[in-house]
Amino acid sequence: MHGKLAHLSVPQLREACSQCNLRELCLPMGLSEHEMGQLDELVNLRRRILRGQHIYRSGDGFEAIFAIKTGFFKTDVLLEDGREQVTGFQMAGEILGLDGIGTERHTCNAVALEDSEVCVIPFSDLENYSREIGALQHHFHKVMSREIVRDHGVMMLLGIMRAEERLAAFLLNLSQRFTARGYSPTEFNLRMTRNEIGSYLGLKLETVSRAFSRFQDEGLITVHQKHIQILDVAGLKKLLTERRA
Amino acid sequence: MHGKLAHLSVPQLREACSQCNLRELCLPMGLSEHEMGQLDELVNLRRRILRGQHIYRSGDGFEAIFAIKTGFFKTDVLLEDGREQVTGFQMAGEILGLDGIGTERHTCNAVALEDSEVCVIPFSDLENYSREIGALQHHFHKVMSREIVRDHGVMMLLGIMRAEERLAAFLLNLSQRFTARGYSPTEFNLRMTRNEIGSYLGLKLETVSRAFSRFQDEGLITVHQKHIQILDVAGLKKLLTERRA
DNA sequence: GGTTTACGTTGACACAGATCAAAGCTGACC
DNA sequence: GGTCAGCTTTGATCTGTGTCAACGTAAACC
């Protein structure tokens, strides 16, 4: 379990967790310098995923989880009859594959929405290192727990919000995550289609499109295809708290 | 961390994990006899929760997770405007409180729907024992992962299914979980109201009630208040796979 | 550089489920 | 054992979103 550092080639070292600019968002969060060095041993494989390619598919055997280094993904579940439910959109620093631990098989598909790169974290190795590095163990538990809480948020979206509330919540969530990564809170390009947004939000693509148009008419945002500019953050937030019904 | 067994009183021993009839469903699943003994040290506190009482509320500090020994719970999130989203119903052998790990605070409410008893599992102790007992560590990861997968199932319910499909999926899920606990797969009492079912399924209570009545008219089930008898399991399943639209 | 293809917008209309309303049932409590 | 409160059922009507259809837009490809 130790001494692997010696075998790393220079390009791999350059990409080590301890050097990664996502280390305060991703798995290494909160680790000491020494512990981060141990993590470098654990995470020594990266994979490029081109736009449209899968990291894994529902039914695939589970062996590793994946940390997104660059790029953008969606996860979805497909029903036999062709219906699709997008279960999430993931960006740099977020972890993919947690669904596979319970059954040793993945239960959803993970697809790159743009050319991406992920760090491969073999799961049994992660469990081994977790036993030695308490901070890693605890942080991993936090990551899983936050995923559960995020899912509860999606349930609220789907269960009790109306179309415009759902879309406003979606935009504000993206904005907040882009901000955390040092990008503009108010201006970004959507990586997903209207259809994918709709699937995530439990709406049809026409409804998503109409809601975008309405937000634009009301001066809350501007939309040009996939380019979004938020003009009135407070206005979007008001949509969420103000209940007219 | 060792030697605590000596301090256990007789009634506590009687309730130890190693003696619990839920041990093959609950946290001890798959542990050796020796490991189960260690778990008995970890889980030595039980709490009675009367119908209507909370184990924890949204915002409460997080210290422990809870294994349900007997009884039935719901978890929900309340919006400021009074809207409620039920995020799950939990029964014996299932774990409550995983939502609190990520932020050190609970993010939902856990309410007993009947008089219940839970085993208190102090979370930092669980992490300590997990570092020593690999099987416990791994099983705990599986529990969290399955919760994520379950949440994806709820998203599918809410995102792409119509009212009758949602209710059929709900009944089949309850049936399957009752079966796993040795109860009848086809006859049971609902512990929750129509309103709570509706909140979970993203429907209004009237819609739930109408769907029950429709199922009864079609000979799929009988309903008398909270008592449900499933007459045609295959018929309910067909509702889920057969897509007319 | 013109054509193809995928994606997006907008309008007209339909419908599943929400809302509003009234009455029935059941168990708890005095 | 009668009353009360909470829950459930059912009917009538309304409405937000889905569905269907036509057209627009933009990037991709020969």
Side-chain angles (χ1 to χ4, degrees):
Chain A
M1 198 150 124
H2 294 288
K4 281 192 195 153
L5 268 180
H7 306 300
L8 290 179
S9 65
V10 172
Q12 283 174 314
L13 250 186
R14 203 177 39 78
E15 302 203 82
C17 290
S18 53
Q19 306 304 317
C20 180
N21 59 5
L22 291 166
R23 64 183 179 279
E24 284 311 315
L25 272 175
C26 189
L27 207 59
M29 200 182 113
L31 297 198
S32 71
E33 206 167 313
H34 172 66
E35 291 163 339
M36 199 104 57
Q38 295 180 269
L39 200 60
D40 290 342
E41 301 171 29
L42 164 60
V43 188
N44 52 39
L45 179 62
R46 267 118 208 133
R47 252 177 77 190
R48 309 207 121 269
I49 316 280
L50 296 181
R51 185 188 143 111
Q53 288 184 340
H54 287 71
I55 321 187
Y56 55 82
R57 289 168 194 272
S58 182
D60 285 356
F62 169 76
E63 279 160 21
I65 61 174
F66 305 90
I68 303 174
K69 196 164 170 61
T70 62
F72 207 97
F73 289 83
K74 73 168 175 182
T75 47
D76 67 11
V77 187
L78 298 171
L79 253 52
E80 325 71 49
D81 59 20
R83 283 183 286 179
E84 174 194 31
Q85 174 72 35
V86 171
T87 54
F89 297 107
Q90 297 81 19
M91 56 178 81
E94 295 176 341
I95 306 290
L96 280 162
L98 300 174
D99 61 286
I101 303 168
T103 56
E104 320 252 314
R105 305 213 153 262
H106 286 289
T107 60
C108 62
N109 308 293
V111 189
L113 296 181
E114 60 183 33
D115 294 354
S116 303
E117 198 179 359
V118 298
C119 304
V120 180
I121 306 167
F123 189 65
S124 59
D125 291 351
L126 176 62
E127 289 194 328
N128 289 336
Y129 277 82
S130 278
R131 264 183 250 126
E132 301 210 342
I133 312 172
L136 177 62
Q137 176 198 38
H138 189 58
H139 184 60
F140 177 65
H141 292 161
K142 285 191 168 194
V143 167
M144 294 208 89
S145 173
R146 286 200 201 113
E147 179 67 18
I148 290 170
V149 172
R150 188 195 69 83
D151 290 346
H152 289 174
V154 177
M155 288 183 207
M156 303 253 316
L157 276 185
L158 295 172
I160 60 186
M161 293 189 186
R162 37 184 59 236
E164 292 191 2
E165 293 177 284
R166 296 183 199 186
L167 191 64
F170 173 72
L171 289 174
L172 290 168
N173 175 263
L174 280 184
S175 163
Q176 178 253 304
R177 286 154 73 203
F178 282 127
T179 308
R181 282 155 186 80
Y183 300 110
S184 167
T186 55
E187 202 168 351
F188 46 83
N189 283 299
L190 299 173
R191 271 72 169 186
M192 67 295 280
T193 66
R194 301 288 187 268
N195 194 36
E196 288 165 335
I197 297 172
S199 170
Y200 180 63
L201 299 178
L203 302 169
K204 291 295 159 182
L205 67 92
E206 294 94 332
T207 305
V208 174
S209 180
R210 277 187 247 271
F212 271 132
S213 300
R214 182 93 80 95
F215 285 174
Q216 184 158 241
D217 294 347
E218 289 167 352
L220 296 170
I221 63 173
T222 63
V223 198
H224 293 109
Q225 300 289 125
K226 295 209 153 53
H227 184 84
I228 302 284
Q229 188 173 6
I230 300 179
L231 304 174
D232 182 359
V233 175
L236 285 178
K237 285 188 180 153
K238 212 168 61 178
L239 269 181
L240 291 182
T241 40
E242 235 175 44
R243 187 73 191 141
R244 76 266 91 132
Chain B
M1 196 149 127
H2 295 287
K4 281 191 194 152
L5 267 180
H7 307 299
L8 290 179
S9 66
V10 173
Q12 282 174 313
L13 250 186
R14 203 177 37 78
E15 303 203 80
C17 290
S18 54
Q19 306 303 316
C20 181
N21 58 6
L22 291 166
R23 65 182 178 278
E24 284 310 315
L25 272 175
C26 190
L27 206 59
M29 200 182 113
L31 297 197
S32 72
E33 206 166 313
H34 172 66
E35 291 164 339
M36 199 105 56
Q38 295 180 270
L39 200 61
D40 289 343
E41 300 171 29
L42 165 59
V43 187
N44 52 38
L45 180 62
R46 266 117 209 134
R47 253 177 78 189
R48 309 205 121 270
I49 316 281
L50 296 180
R51 184 187 143 111
Q53 288 183 340
H54 287 70
I55 320 185
Y56 55 82
R57 290 168 193 271
S58 182
D60 284 357
F62 169 76
E63 279 160 21
I65 62 174
F66 305 90
I68 303 174
K69 195 164 171 60
T70 62
F72 207 97
F73 289 83
K74 73 168 175 182
T75 47
D76 66 11
V77 186
L78 298 170
L79 253 52
E80 325 71 48
D81 58 21
R83 283 183 286 179
E84 174 194 30
Q85 174 72 36
V86 171
T87 54
F89 297 108
Q90 296 81 19
M91 54 178 81
E94 296 176 340
I95 306 291
L96 280 162
L98 301 174
D99 60 285
I101 303 168
T103 56
E104 320 252 315
R105 305 215 153 260
H106 287 287
T107 59
C108 62
N109 306 293
V111 189
L113 296 181
E114 60 184 31
D115 293 355
S116 303
E117 198 179 359
V118 298
C119 304
V120 180
I121 305 167
F123 188 66
S124 60
D125 292 351
L126 176 63
E127 289 193 328
N128 289 336
Y129 277 82
S130 279
R131 264 183 251 127
E132 301 210 342
I133 311 173
L136 177 62
Q137 177 197 39
H138 189 58
H139 184 60
F140 177 64
H141 291 161
K142 286 191 167 194
V143 167
M144 293 208 91
S145 173
R146 286 199 202 114
E147 179 66 19
I148 291 170
V149 172
R150 187 195 70 82
D151 290 346
H152 291 174
V154 177
M155 287 183 208
M156 303 252 317
L157 276 184
L158 295 172
I160 60 186
M161 293 188 186
R162 36 183 57 237
E164 292 191 3
E165 294 177 283
R166 295 182 200 187
L167 191 64
F170 173 71
L171 289 175
L172 290 169
N173 174 264
L174 280 184
S175 163
Q176 177 254 304
R177 286 154 72 202
F178 281 128
T179 308
R181 282 155 187 80
Y183 300 110
S184 167
T186 54
E187 203 169 351
F188 46 83
N189 284 299
L190 299 172
R191 272 72 170 188
M192 68 295 280
T193 66
R194 301 288 187 267
N195 194 35
E196 287 164 335
I197 297 172
S199 169
Y200 180 62
L201 299 178
L203 302 170
K204 291 295 159 180
L205 67 93
E206 294 94 332
T207 305
V208 174
S209 179
R210 278 186 246 271
F212 272 133
S213 300
R214 181 93 80 96
F215 286 173
Q216 183 158 242
D217 294 346
E218 289 167 352
L220 296 169
I221 63 173
T222 63
V223 198
H224 292 110
Q225 299 290 123
K226 295 209 152 53
H227 183 86
I228 301 285
Q229 189 173 5
I230 300 180
L231 304 174
D232 182 0
V233 175
L236 284 178
K237 285 187 179 153
K238 213 168 61 179
L239 268 181
L240 291 183
T241 41
E242 234 174 43
R243 187 74 191 140
R244 76 267 89 137

